[in-house]
Amino acid sequence: MRKVAVVGAGMTPFAEHFALGMKDLLPMAYADAAHSVDKGIEKSDIEAAWFGAMGTTDGFPSGVLADSLGIPDIPVTRIENSCATGNDAIRNALYGIASGAFEVALVMGADKIRETASKAMLWEWESASRDMAWDYPLGVVSPAGFALHVNRYLHESPATREHMAMIAVKNHRQGANNPKARLQFEITIEQALEAPTVVTPFGLYDCAPQSDGAAALILASEDAVDRYTDRPVWVRGVGLGLDSVMHQHKIDMTAFPATTRAAKRAFRMAGMTPADVDVAEIHDYFTGIELISYEDLGFADRFEGYKLLETGETSVGGSLPVNPSGGLKSKGHPPGATGVAQCVELFDQLRGTAINQVENARVGLAHNIGGPSAVSAVTILEGP
């Protein structure tokens, strides 16, 4: 397969965009990405698009993208894979270019859920991505489903709610100066621990805010990359992993096998190991997910992820900064856009232009998990 690079990346702020629809957000994100292309790009250069979206109140997603960007002459493929949607869209676009079918492609992710009609759609997503025999009828929607995992993890490991609070504090601190993050303020350990309970063991500050937003990446083949930049960010590895949907079928509730499977595939494709990663954007829809994912991604031994927090390794300035953007926890979580936005952050990190720049960052990893824990996607990027 041919090598594939990211040559442009951009996104909208993640927020409550009550006055803006998908037809507004998509052109905003594309314009931001096109502006970042060093040598410029025309829409006529784009030969195909992949659109990650859980759904839209504006109409048929692929048609909305083609219409709002004025690109009806190219194929647009809609990807939906729960919260792993964004990174899965990147995976599909990579194969389209690497195979030789296209030279330049657009990857976009977007969702709009902070309005009445979309809140109803959110519950439709919940029912569509959970087991309908047991989980959903019993109320095991996203917070409850992940709470089952994290409760068991806290029971079997030395980790505590204080370690989860440390993740919340870290990600709020790192997102406080991100102009595109929804929650631009810091919190304390005490605030995190004393916040109202959402579902045990999650307090309010353990949960990411559902948000509206869009993100875009422009990908090019190794044969075309020089037309657009002398500083490409290469897509070195991608992986998708699956696991049982029904919680009663999961062998071990203290880990996410989907993440382990996705990571192994991505690292094998990249010819790398977890030790090669300099910066990561990890799915922290709930703080406990980030903690467990340290281990599933290979950054820590089993039940020892908490040690990375105690030594400050996952903060900016540590050996493996995690979520320097603020993560989902601070930045927000429009499901279709999240994985693409993670790679927007890594694009900036690996080119040395990020808000919370990680010194000498060369390799970045993006990770999502969803469904609620039945699918995971991992993308590994390498800087110029």
Side-chain angles (χ1 to χ4, degrees):
M1 297 192 301
R2 296 186 302 175
K3 293 171 60 179
V4 178
V6 183
V7 298
M11 59 181 285
T12 69
F14 284 1
E16 292 182 316
H17 290 297
F18 290 115
L20 301 176
M22 292 279 274
K23 296 175 183 178
D24 304 300
L25 295 171
L26 290 169
M28 290 167 59
Y30 172 78
D32 196 42
H35 180 72
S36 73
V37 179
D38 296 329
K39 299 179 183 180
I41 189 169
E42 301 294 333
K43 287 183 183 177
S44 57
D45 295 344
I46 299 171
E47 299 171 315
W50 278 262
F51 181 23
M54 293 288 286
T56 169
T57 56
D58 289 288
F60 173 55
S62 294
V64 169
L65 176 66
D67 187 29
S68 62
L69 294 187
I71 51 172
D73 294 327
I74 67 171
V76 178
T77 303
R78 185 254 184 120
I79 301 294
E80 188 280 305
N81 218 338
S82 190
C83 293
T85 291
N87 274 302
D88 196 14
I90 296 167
R91 185 181 69 94
N92 279 270
L94 175 131
Y95 287 135
I97 296 175
S99 69
F102 308 104
E103 297 293 338
V104 181
L106 173 66
V107 178
M108 296 204 72
D111 269 311
K112 183 167 171 57
I113 59 179
R114 296 301 296 167
E115 59 186 31
T116 302
S118 293
K119 287 179 182 177
M121 183 180 292
L122 177 60
W123 286 104
E124 292 180 12
W125 297 342
E126 291 282 354
S127 65
S129 60
R130 271 121 191 99
D131 175 76
M132 289 302 290
W134 290 100
D135 287 4
Y136 188 73
L138 294 175
V140 186
V141 293
S142 190
F146 280 111
L148 291 174
H149 283 276
V150 177
N151 267 325
R152 191 66 197 178
Y153 179 86
L154 295 180
H155 176 73
E156 294 194 24
S157 77
T160 66
R161 281 203 65 226
E162 284 75 11
H163 293 106
M164 292 164 53
M166 292 168 70
I167 291 173
V169 169
K170 169 181 70 73
N171 292 353
H172 270 273
R173 180 177 66 248
Q174 293 173 174
N177 64 340
N178 181 352
K180 293 183 178 177
R182 181 173 173 195
L183 304 181
Q184 297 176 33
F185 59 84
E186 297 192 38
I187 62 171
T188 65
I189 292 283
E190 291 72 26
Q191 284 177 301
L193 291 174
E194 295 170 7
T197 298
V198 175
V199 55
T200 305
F202 301 141
L204 180 64
Y205 288 118
D206 289 303
C207 309
Q210 295 284 2
S211 306
D212 304 331
L217 299 174
I218 299 170
L219 274 56
S221 73
E222 59 183 320
D223 300 323
V225 70
D226 290 343
R227 283 185 254 158
Y228 302 103
T229 183
D230 297 323
R231 302 182 299 151
V233 171
W234 297 99
V235 185
R236 291 291 306 275
V238 293
L240 190 75
L242 281 298
D243 189 27
S244 299
V245 177
M246 187 186 294
H247 279 85
Q248 291 86 341
H249 290 170
K250 295 181 186 294
I251 298 173
D252 181 3
M253 292 293 287
T254 66
F256 300 126
T259 292
T260 303
R261 291 166 181 145
K264 284 182 178 178
R265 291 186 177 111
F267 280 120
R268 183 169 59 245
M269 181 177 177
M272 295 180 178
T273 70
D276 294 309
V277 176
D278 301 308
V279 57
E281 288 284 321
I282 292 178
H283 198 84
D284 61 329
Y285 188 19
F286 304 100
T287 53
I289 300 177
E290 179 176 324
L291 180 57
I292 295 173
S293 297
Y294 293 163
E295 301 165 17
D296 293 338
L297 291 166
F299 299 135
D301 291 334
R302 184 167 172 79
F303 294 154
E304 293 188 358
Y306 72 96
K307 294 181 179 180
L308 298 179
L309 294 164
E310 292 183 345
T311 57
E313 299 306 312
T314 56
S315 296
V316 173
S319 62
L320 178 62
V322 172
N323 292 329
S325 69
L328 288 64
K329 177 68 209 70
S330 177
K331 188 173 62 182
H333 182 38
T338 292
V340 181
Q342 289 177 326
C343 290
V344 172
E345 169 69 18
L346 294 177
F347 177 83
D348 291 338
Q349 286 285 352
L350 300 177
R351 285 168 42 119
T353 59
I355 297 296
N356 294 314
Q357 182 61 49
V358 173
E359 186 176 358
N360 299 320
R362 183 182 65 86
V363 175
L365 177 145
H367 158 259
N368 291 135
I369 186 167
S373 57
V375 61
S376 179
V378 170
T379 303
I380 298 173
L381 303 177
E382 184 174 21

